[in-house]
Amino acid sequence: MINSLINNNNEIFSRFPLLYPFICFIFTSIIAIFSILLLVYMERRVLALFTLRYGPNRVGKEGILQPVADAIKLLIKEDSTPKDRRKVLFFAAPIIVFCPVMTAFCLIPFNDFFMQTNFNISVVLFSALVSIPVVGIFLAGFSSNNKYSLIGAIRSTAQVLSFEIPMGVCILATAFLAGGLNINEIIISQNSTGGLFGWNFLPLFIGAFVFFICALALLNRTPFDLSEAESELVCGYNTEYSGIKFALFFMTEYALLLLVSMFFASLFFGGYLSPFGTYILPENLVFLEQTFWLLLKTFITILLIILIRASLPRLRYDRLLKFSYLVLLPLSLINLNISILVLYFRGN
């Protein structure tokens, strides 16, 4: 029955070549939006637990509908804008930030059955898409005609540029071990021993550590949230935004958190692969179990990021950049050499 359904779908998609990517984008966007609402609630509850507060507990049972109420509030809120803004750039910035992140979700394989895209250089395309939002962040700060917004935008730009170099070197190391720049090939290459002992985090534990720290900086998460330092910059680059435009920035932050965590799990922790090497469900339902493993690894990573926010203070800006160039970059180069040695001893 499943094979006949696949054949019928292939016939339909061959007649309408743009239908499949459109359906994939809609399906992935729905999953991402619901995941964002869940992440907002999850972070507020975890932070409340660790700081001995109640957290959301009014809207819905245990506050479960609080993210929905916040979303409705932002959508119907008055869209006030500064008088001396640069109008075109001010309105374009949230779109430039939001659209590439939602597009990048289509590059992550949730399982080996539902392949949204399968580009040979999907790692490069992913890195390019998650780098575009910093352009929108800079335009948001520049066009707001607000000195605090501009300072936050400049901080964010310098921070992303400095931390993307060691992150890119870590990605290159995993590509060396997989023998390609395809995300799905990198995941499949970690199935050599049939379990978690084949995952890349074991030989490339330095790279996993460096990538995780760089991801915190890319996401503007604590202790690297210098572009939104409330005690210094009011709200950073989005100080002058309100209503739906602010909602786009807010959604992008959590969408990028989910996206980078999925990418991190795919590179170093086997992606959708089972840690036991075998699957419990029958062959026709394996794709559901693979999706479960990917989401489980992703949410464990996100939970760790939230706990770091509840534990660590913010770094000074000058020490942040020195830490990137003097510590993380040398460690990423060491990790790259380790990947070459592992590849040599494997005989590939």
Side-chain angles (χ1 to χ4, degrees):
M1 178 178 179
I2 293 181
N3 291 332
S4 62
L5 182 62
I6 293 174
N7 293 330
N8 292 334
N9 290 339
N10 289 336
E11 183 179 353
I12 295 174
F13 293 143
S14 62
R15 293 182 180 179
F16 306 97
L18 295 179
L19 183 61
Y20 181 73
F22 178 74
I23 292 176
C24 290
F25 179 77
I26 296 298
F27 178 73
T28 307
S29 299
I30 293 173
I31 293 178
I33 290 173
F34 277 102
S35 299
I36 289 168
L37 295 177
L38 178 61
L39 285 179
V40 173
Y41 178 77
M42 173 183 169
E43 180 167 23
R44 295 179 70 174
R45 295 298 295 186
V46 172
L47 289 177
L49 177 65
F50 270 77
T51 54
L52 300 178
R53 292 183 288 110
Y54 286 110
N57 59 357
R58 299 282 179 161
V59 186
K61 186 176 181 180
E62 298 295 331
I64 190 66
L65 296 179
Q66 186 64 52
V68 179
D70 292 340
I72 295 174
K73 180 195 72 172
L74 287 174
L75 291 177
I76 65 176
K77 189 176 182 180
E78 180 185 0
D79 186 17
S80 60
T81 56
K83 181 179 179 180
D84 297 328
R85 70 192 185 282
R86 294 170 175 84
K87 186 174 181 180
V88 175
L89 297 180
F90 187 84
F91 283 93
I95 300 174
I96 295 174
V97 170
F98 181 74
C99 290
V101 174
M102 299 305 296
T103 305
F105 272 104
C106 296
L107 298 175
I108 301 294
F110 288 84
N111 48 66
D112 60 2
F113 176 79
F114 178 63
M115 294 295 297
Q116 305 168 86
T117 55
N118 196 24
F119 297 112
N120 291 330
I121 55 170
S122 57
V123 168
V124 178
L125 184 57
F126 181 91
S127 301
L129 287 174
V130 298
S131 300
I132 294 176
V134 71
V135 179
I137 289 174
F138 179 78
L139 292 179
F142 173 74
S143 62
S144 295
N145 195 29
N146 182 305
K147 61 182 179 181
Y148 296 111
S149 299
L150 181 59
I151 293 173
I154 294 174
R155 280 186 175 186
S156 180
T157 303
Q159 179 174 311
V160 170
L161 291 177
S162 61
F163 279 87
E164 275 191 345
I165 299 174
M167 176 182 280
V169 176
C170 294
I171 296 174
L172 187 61
T174 60
F176 276 169
L177 291 185
L181 293 171
N182 186 299
I183 298 177
N184 194 52
E185 290 180 0
I186 294 176
I187 294 175
I188 295 175
S189 68
Q190 300 176 65
N191 199 28
S192 57
T193 61
L196 61 87
F197 293 105
W199 294 354
N200 286 335
F201 82 95
L202 288 176
L204 303 180
F205 64 93
I206 297 178
F209 175 74
V210 173
F211 185 96
F212 181 78
I213 295 177
C214 293
L216 293 177
L218 179 66
L219 298 170
N220 289 322
R221 305 289 297 191
T222 306
F224 307 124
D225 57 336
L226 292 166
S227 63
E228 300 179 13
E230 293 88 354
S231 58
E232 304 167 17
L233 304 177
V234 186
C235 191
Y237 61 88
N238 53 18
T239 300
E240 300 293 348
Y241 284 88
S242 62
I244 191 170
K245 292 194 286 295
F246 178 82
L248 288 177
F249 282 115
F250 186 78
M251 288 179 60
T252 302
E253 180 180 344
Y254 282 91
L256 197 58
L257 172 62
L258 177 65
L259 182 65
V260 173
S261 299
M262 293 174 67
F263 188 58
F264 175 67
S266 299
L267 290 183
F268 295 99
F269 292 93
Y272 55 74
L273 298 178
S274 170
F276 308 109
T278 58
Y279 299 104
I280 301 174
L281 297 180
E283 184 177 356
N284 292 337
L285 299 176
V286 164
F287 68 96
L288 294 177
E289 186 175 352
Q290 289 178 337
T291 305
F292 165 76
W293 286 120
L294 175 62
L295 294 179
L296 178 63
K297 298 169 187 177
T298 300
F299 277 94
I300 290 175
T301 304
I302 293 173
L303 179 61
L304 181 58
I305 293 175
I306 294 174
L307 296 183
I308 290 176
R309 177 182 177 181
S311 306
L312 297 181
R314 186 180 299 125
L315 287 179
R316 253 173 47 186
Y317 187 66
D318 57 334
R319 293 181 179 178
L320 172 73
L321 299 181
K322 287 181 180 179
F323 179 67
S324 172
Y325 289 113
L326 300 181
V327 178
L328 295 183
L329 183 57
L331 286 177
S332 65
L333 294 175
I334 293 173
N335 178 73
L336 182 63
N337 288 311
I338 292 175
S339 69
I340 296 173
L341 291 176
V342 171
L343 199 62
Y344 174 78
F345 286 109
R346 284 181 180 176
N348 295 331

